[in-house]
Amino acid sequence: MSAHRSTGSTCAHSVASSPTAWVASADNIRRRDSAEVDYLMQLTETVIADHVRRNDRWRLHVAGQLDLLPDSTARALKEAVEETRDRTDAGDLTIAIGYSGRGEVVDAVRGLLDEAAVSGRSLSDVAEGLDEDAIRRHLYLPDLPDPELVIRTSGELRMSDFLLWQTTRSDIDFCDLYWPAFRQIDLMRALRTYGRRQLNRSS
C-alpha cells in the first residue's frame, strides 16, 4: 500500500503529470482467484480512491468496464472522480481497472456507430469519414494525452493489452520488480533512462 502512495507522490513532483496505473485487466477480474480479486478491489477502495480524495494533487479518471467491478468498488471510484473533477492545478491520474486495450477500441467503434445511427448517417457515410480522430473521440478518456513512457513491471516483455491505441509511439521501460515492490527510486530510474533516450534522439 505504501508503494502506491509513494509512487504517486513522486509522480506529482516529477514530469509525470498524467500517469495511468493499471490495477486489474478485464481478464484478471474474470479469471483470477476470487480472493486475489477481492484483495485488489479492497485496495482500490481503501487506498487508491480514498487517498486520491484526500490528496488535492490529482484529478481522478477511470478507464475500464466498471460493470465488472463489485458495486462498492465502482461506487467508490465514481465518487472519487466526481469529488476531484473540479480541482485546478492538479495532475490527471487514471486508474485502469476492468480494462482491456482491445475492448476499448471495440467500445470506441461501437460508440461511433451508435452516434451515427442516432444522427441517421449511413454506413457508407461513416466509412467515408472514418479516421483516427473519429475513433479517438470515442475512447474512454479522449482528452488526455498519449503516454510518453510505459513502465512494464513484473519482468514481462509484453504490453498485455494495455492502452494499445495510445502507446504506439510510447517509450517502454521493462522492470523485473512486481508492482507492489516498485519504489520511488525505481520510478526515478525509469524517468532518467527515458530522459537519456530523449536527449540522444535530439542530439
Side-chain angles (χ1 to χ4, degrees):
M1 293 183 181
S2 61
H4 292 79
R5 292 194 182 101
S6 62
T7 303
S9 177
T10 303
C11 286
H13 289 96
S14 71
V15 297
S17 60
S18 300
T20 296
W22 198 4
V23 176
S25 70
D27 281 346
N28 288 155
I29 294 174
R30 293 189 186 105
R31 299 177 182 177
R32 284 196 176 184
D33 179 81
S34 59
E36 185 176 2
V37 172
D38 288 346
Y39 169 75
L40 287 172
M41 298 304 107
Q42 182 183 22
L43 182 71
T44 300
E45 293 178 36
T46 60
V47 176
I48 298 174
D50 185 58
H51 181 64
V52 171
R53 276 177 173 157
R54 293 183 284 106
N55 186 333
D56 60 7
R57 293 172 176 161
W58 301 112
R59 282 183 297 271
L60 184 66
H61 308 272
V62 178
Q65 302 172 50
L66 291 185
D67 58 334
L68 294 178
L69 310 183
D71 289 343
S72 59
T73 306
R75 183 170 57 253
L77 288 171
K78 289 177 182 177
E79 290 174 355
V81 168
E82 288 301 318
E83 289 181 24
T84 62
R85 184 185 304 279
D86 297 325
R87 289 178 177 173
T88 58
D89 301 322
D92 292 293
L93 172 62
T94 299
I95 299 301
I97 185 168
Y99 177 83
S100 161
R102 287 182 175 181
E104 180 177 18
V105 175
V106 170
D107 285 346
V109 173
R110 183 182 293 115
L112 188 153
L113 293 175
D114 287 344
E115 181 182 78
V118 169
S119 64
R121 297 166 61 205
S122 67
L123 283 178
S124 59
D125 289 338
V126 174
E128 184 176 348
L130 187 62
D131 58 17
E132 288 187 14
D133 288 338
I135 294 176
R136 183 180 181 85
R137 286 195 300 273
H138 292 84
L139 296 176
Y140 295 148
L141 299 168
D143 296 327
L144 293 183
D146 290 342
E148 297 178 38
L149 172 65
V150 175
I151 301 174
R152 180 56 164 106
T153 57
S154 76
E156 296 285 354
L157 302 180
R158 56 195 174 100
M159 290 298 291
S160 300
D161 202 23
F162 179 66
L163 296 180
L164 300 183
W165 181 277
Q166 298 90 336
T167 57
T168 56
R169 297 178 178 87
S170 303
D171 276 53
I172 304 175
D173 184 89
F174 295 102
C175 175
D176 289 335
L177 293 171
Y178 284 91
W179 169 246
F182 194 78
R183 303 159 298 173
Q184 292 186 34
I185 190 172
D186 302 308
L187 174 60
M188 297 309 299
R189 184 179 295 117
L191 292 175
R192 283 196 298 269
T193 300
Y194 169 71
R196 286 196 296 269
R197 291 176 188 167
Q198 293 294 94
L199 186 62
N200 290 340
R201 291 189 189 116
S202 62
S203 61

